[in-house]
Structure formats: C-alpha cells, structure tokens
C-alpha cells in the first residue's frame, strides 16, 4: 500500500471540497444568464389635490354667472361645492358646483383619478393611458395613441376603491349623454359631411368633438348639444386629459330658463378648455 504523507492528504481533501463548492455555485442551480425583470417606474403623482379647492373662486364666479349676486351664505354654499362620494380619496376625488340664475342654470364638475398599476411590468403611466383611451373611445374619437396593456385590476377584482371601474363608469355616462353609440365628428375629420338638410348649421358641425393639442400628455373635448326630440336646450361640454398617471375630467353645462334660448356652445367649450389648462398647470407645479 502506497504511503501518503498527512500534509498531502489534507491538501487533497481541501481541493476536493473547493471543487464541490464551485460546482454548486455554477452548476445546475445557477441562474447565470437569466433575464432580470426591472419593475416599471411609478407614476409622477402620489396624491391628488383637494377637488373643491382646485378651482379658484374668481374662476367659479366667471363659470357660474349669477352666483356672485346671491346673499352671502348662499353664495358661499355655491362656491364651496359638493364633494363626490368615493371609496378611496387617494385614488379618485371630485367636486361639483351649480348656480341657478334667472336666465339659465350652469353646472360644473371636476374629477381627478390617480391610476396605479398592480402589474410590475406595466407602469402607472401606461395604465393611465389605457384608462384615458377608454374614455376617448367612448366619446367616439380616436388618436394615434395606442391603448396600453389590459388592466390587472379588472382581472383580480381589485382596484381604485370605487364601486366599479372608473373608466367603464365614465364611458357609460358619456354614452348615455350622447343618446347614441355613433361617434361624434372629430376635428381631424372636418366635422359632419353627410350633406343632410340642415347639417351645415348643426351644433355638431359648428362645435365638433375633437382631440386637443398641448394639454397634458393626451386630451380630447366632447361636445354634447341637446338630444334630438328633447325640448330642453341642455348643452354639455366635457374636456378629458391625462398627465402622467392622473386623468382629469372637466364637465361644464348650461340649460337656459326658456326652451327658445340656445346655449352658446362655443363659450362653453372655451371656458371648459381654459379651466382644464389651469388644472393641468396646477398639477405640474
């Protein structure tokens, strides 16, 4: 039998153990070369503004004619607004105002929705773009923006803390307001060109719903004049825009006291857009 010195035997055992350890580190259990999933970045906004203080009092006086002439306590009540009831004020808030003047009733509402993605591979901004795209589609408009990935909240039954998906709720509201699933004419298409009698003077052609430029990351305006057959001359304008992971909706409406009076849709559009731009600037500060 060959004689192995004690020192040589000890050295052999140490080498063998080292080889075994390296084998485990770089063998079948190694994850070398496996792709690493980087979580999508969070949205810019972590909170929402107080909705009933989001519109300055001076702006409310302009948007709600007649309110400034009311007695002090009634005036304060109008300008204070009514907060929307939501289940999670970190995710969705809103406020509405209404004034009754002898000539007409004006109403205003603003809604803020902070979108959060529960999919680590989908950013909050992309999820917010999906929410915005649903609203744009419900308005009968289209843009070059590509809808984002499916909502994980819809799959899980989880969400913003509201009773239903906000995009679906607003889509239903807009669809009901139009009274039709047919798309409204957009600015890019040049409005109505059906050539039907009276179409040249229709409110839809004069004041078309359209995609808006230079407002947030994406925006559109939906003009909803009175429904056919309705005696009420009710006219509503909605401006919806997205900035990062927040989607904002402004609704401004007028109903004259007399059915013979027709609301000035152009004025409603201009004032709704001006307010939307102010809100976008406030969010960016």
């Amino acid at each position: 039998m060959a004689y192995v010195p004690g020192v040589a035997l000890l050295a052999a055992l140490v080498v063998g153990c080292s080889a075994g350890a390296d084998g485990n580190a770089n063998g079948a259990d190694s994850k070398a070369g496996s792709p690493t999933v980087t979580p999508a970045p969070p949205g810019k906004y972590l909170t929402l503004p107080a909705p009933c203080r989001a519109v300055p009092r001076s702006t409310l006086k302009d948007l709600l004619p007649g309110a400034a002439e009311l007695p002090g306590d009634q005036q304060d009540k109008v300008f204070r607004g009514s907060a929307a009831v939501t289940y999670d004020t970190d995710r969705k808030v809103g406020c509405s105002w209404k004034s009754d003047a002898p000539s007409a009733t004006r109403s205003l509402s603003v809604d803020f929705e902070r979108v959060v993605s529960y999919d680590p591979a989908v950013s909050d901004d992309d999820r917010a773009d999906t929410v915005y795209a649903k609203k744009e589609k419900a308005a009968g408009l289209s843009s070059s923006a590509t809808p984002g990935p499916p909502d994980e909240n819809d799959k899980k039954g989880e969400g913003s803390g509201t009773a239903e998906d906000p995009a679906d709720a607003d889509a239903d509201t807009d669809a009901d307001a139009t009274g039709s699933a047919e798309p409204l004419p957009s600015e890019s298409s040049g409005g109505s060109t059906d050539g039907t009698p009276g179409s040249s003077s229709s409110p839809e052609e004069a004041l078309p719903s359209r995609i808006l430029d230079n407002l947030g990351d994406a925006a559109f305006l939906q003009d909803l004049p009175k429904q056919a057959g309705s005696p009420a001359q009710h006219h509503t304008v909605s401006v919806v825009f997205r900035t990062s992971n927040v989607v904002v909706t402004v609704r401004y409406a007028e109903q004259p006291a007399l059915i013979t009076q027709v609301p000035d849709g152009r004025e409603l559009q201009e004032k709704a857009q001006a307010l939307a731009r102010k809100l976008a600037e406030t969010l960016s500060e």
Side-chain angles (χ1 to χ4, degrees):
M1 179 179 293
Y3 174 73
V4 180
V7 173
L9 177 60
L10 179 61
L13 290 174
V14 170
V15 170
C17 291
S18 299
D22 291 341
N24 290 335
N26 301 313
D29 292 338
S30 175
K31 297 296 186 296
S34 300
T36 301
V37 177
T38 302
K44 177 180 178 180
Y45 302 102
L46 302 178
T47 60
L48 290 172
C52 292
R53 295 198 296 268
V55 183
R57 194 180 184 103
S58 59
T59 302
L60 289 173
K61 288 182 178 180
D62 178 53
L63 295 173
L64 303 172
E69 283 71 42
L70 294 172
D73 55 343
Q74 296 182 33
Q75 184 180 140
D76 290 340
K77 182 178 180 180
V78 170
F79 291 141
R80 191 181 307 123
S82 300
V85 178
T86 63
Y87 296 113
D88 188 349
T89 54
D90 287 333
R91 294 286 303 280
K92 190 172 184 180
V93 295
C95 191
S96 60
W97 300 262
K98 183 179 180 182
S99 68
D100 296 310
S103 60
T105 296
R106 294 273 182 115
S107 60
L108 169 71
S109 69
V110 294
D111 293 289
F112 300 87
E113 180 180 355
R114 186 175 68 90
V115 181
V116 177
S117 172
Y118 290 101
D119 185 344
V122 179
S123 70
D124 292 345
D125 282 19
D126 287 343
R127 170 61 191 132
D129 192 47
T130 301
V131 173
Y132 167 84
K134 289 181 180 180
K135 296 175 184 287
E136 189 179 275
K137 182 179 179 181
L141 299 171
S142 62
S143 68
S144 58
T146 302
D151 181 14
E152 288 299 318
N153 297 338
D154 294 339
K155 298 178 182 178
K156 298 177 181 179
E158 303 172 352
S160 63
T162 56
E164 57 185 345
D165 184 82
D168 294 339
D170 285 336
D172 292 340
T173 300
D174 291 340
D176 291 341
T178 59
S180 171
E182 295 179 1
L184 294 170
S186 65
E187 189 173 61
S188 60
S189 64
S192 174
T193 58
D194 58 5
T196 54
S199 63
S200 60
S201 61
S202 66
E204 291 87 351
E205 183 178 10
L207 300 164
S209 300
R210 59 196 180 276
I211 304 298
L212 299 176
D213 297 325
N214 304 318
L215 176 55
D217 297 313
F220 70 86
L221 180 149
Q222 186 179 20
D223 187 82
L224 302 171
K226 61 168 291 188
Q227 296 184 14
S230 173
Q233 296 284 355
H234 190 276
H235 197 126
T236 302
V237 170
S238 294
V239 175
V240 180
F241 70 91
R242 177 183 73 83
T243 174
S244 186
N245 63 317
V246 170
V247 179
V248 182
T249 301
V250 175
R251 291 187 181 89
Y252 188 41
E254 177 185 349
Q255 181 168 330
L258 302 176
I259 61 174
T260 55
Q261 296 176 325
V262 179
D264 186 345
R266 189 174 301 277
E267 178 196 6
L268 295 175
Q269 285 197 15
E270 290 174 353
K271 290 187 175 183
Q273 288 185 76
L275 174 57
R277 295 185 190 283
K278 284 182 180 179
L279 295 176
E281 292 173 1
T282 302
L283 285 171
S284 300
E285 291 176 353

